[in-house]
Amino acid sequence: MRRHRSRRHRRTTPRRWYCLALIVAATTFAAACGLQAGSSLPFTMNPGSIQHNDNLTGVTLTVGSKEFTEQVLLGYILAFSLQAAGAEIRDLTSIVGSQSTRAAQLSGQVQLTYEYTGNGWINYLGHEKPLPDPMEQFKAVRDADVAENNIDWVALAPMDNTYALAASKAVVERTGVRTLSQYAELAKTTPAQAKTCVDTEFNVRRDGFPGMAQAYGLDPATVFRSVLQTGIIYNATASGTECLFGEVYTTDGRIKGLDLVLLTDNRSFFPHYNPAVTLSTDLARQHPEIEQIMTPVSQALTNDEVMELNRRIDVDGEDIAAVARDWLVNKGFVAAG
């Protein structure tokens, strides 16, 4: 699903130079990859509970996303919903990396994306400490992004694709570990029974393993860890050999597909990554119907719903656009063209 978690690269440059770098990156990326054009959507959607809106007739909107499964899925859900309402949609899903996607939006090449609140707060706005309440985190990132970048956040979804540790059912039953506090205690007392697999980024990030270890009173240097590619970690954790515990993302379909058990973050360390639709403040003022259309769609995007959609794509091998279309049709939001 994700070869790397590009959406979680933490900003380290001063903010004004960071913004300049994003603009330059947008220009360079567009020139190299043809971002200006986009493409038409693979399917045509007709109105369902999303009714045709005269204010969107003839309006061309470019929808973007990052390149990993869930982001492309959310991009198509956004694009098909607005197409059913009457907008002409240009498809710029699958842009490589958070920074390129953000740069494309700041430059106006992408007008709408689904973005994660924790990513916006930490990565784009440069804050070190996330807010523990999901709604307060949403309000904070929205208000700050409007003030600093004229980017509005609307239609928050309840799904929360954050970091977690997971284990197989056999490991959970053998060790009795179901929470991160219990994991930390096991790592202290019996390190060999807490062998853990993480990817490169999670291994060093402040909101990754080192920060988690500190929050749970654990010295990260004492934990037996293997650094693997993200995709390998899921299968290795399910086998329970090299990885007794593994880093995962909480809406990944492979959790269900491989019957993994998520450890409870009982001290609420990990940031919230709830997706919301992001768009310029000008576009939000010109077309308030976008928020009205997308709010009920976003509200239907729960962890269980999105995990199952991700599973169909990453485990069963179904087409991302078709999965997005079928979900919208089954929910009654749209009718297939």
Side-chain angles (χ1 to χ4, degrees), residues 203-214:
N203 192 48
V204 298
R205 287 186 56 83
R206 188 171 299 179
D207 59 347
F209 194 89
M212 181 205 75
Q214 182 179 14

Side-chain angles (χ1 to χ4, degrees), residues 59-267:
V59 175
T60 299
L61 299 172
T62 303
V63 173
S65 80
K66 301 162 206 179
E67 80 282 14
F68 60 85
T69 296
E70 182 175 284
Q71 265 282 294
V72 180
L73 173 73
L74 292 175
Y76 277 126
I77 287 172
L78 174 57
F80 289 147
S81 297
L82 295 177
Q83 183 192 59
E88 298 290 333
I89 303 297
R90 303 303 296 168
D91 177 5
L92 270 176
T93 54
S94 298
I95 299 171
V96 177
S98 282
Q99 304 296 8
S100 296
T101 306
R102 175 70 165 187
Q105 185 166 36
L106 289 177
S107 70
Q109 294 167 300
V110 164
Q111 292 166 290
L112 296 143
T113 68
Y114 263 109
E115 185 53 86
Y116 302 94
T117 52
N119 188 50
W121 186 247
I122 295 169
N123 188 3
Y124 300 151
L125 297 170
H127 296 278
E128 296 288 338
K129 186 176 181 180
L131 278 66
D133 180 78
M135 184 54 67
E136 291 303 314
Q137 181 66 89
F138 166 71
K139 292 177 181 177
V141 71
R142 176 197 61 195
D143 294 348
D145 218 6
V146 165
E148 295 185 30
N149 302 302
N150 292 318
I151 297 293
D152 202 355
W153 294 62
V154 301
L156 180 71
M159 62 167 281
D160 188 357
N161 185 5
T162 190
Y163 288 121
L165 290 188
S168 67
K169 286 185 177 179
V171 168
V172 168
E173 291 172 1
R174 184 173 73 249
T175 63
V177 170
R178 295 183 178 274
T179 70
L180 288 182
S181 288
Q182 292 171 334
Y183 163 82
E185 186 62 27
L186 179 69
K188 291 177 189 175
T189 58
T190 319
Q193 294 300 311
K195 292 189 296 183
T196 305
C197 291
V198 297
D199 69 16
T200 302
E201 190 172 335
F202 184 77
N203 192 48
V204 298
R205 287 186 56 83
R206 188 171 299 179
D207 59 347
F209 194 89
M212 181 205 75
Q214 182 179 14
Y216 283 91
L218 180 63
D219 181 359
T222 65
V223 180
F224 293 172
R225 300 202 300 284
S226 296
V227 178
L228 304 175
Q229 290 183 348
T230 302
I232 298 173
I233 292 173
Y234 287 82
N235 287 320
T237 303
S239 71
T241 53
E242 180 180 0
C243 309
L244 297 175
F245 299 90
E247 166 212 356
V248 298
Y249 309 110
T250 53
T251 57
D252 196 301
R254 288 169 292 190
I255 294 171
K256 181 184 291 187
L258 295 170
D259 210 19
L260 297 175
V261 178
L262 295 178
L263 304 189
T264 300
D265 180 13
N266 54 294
R267 295 186 181 176

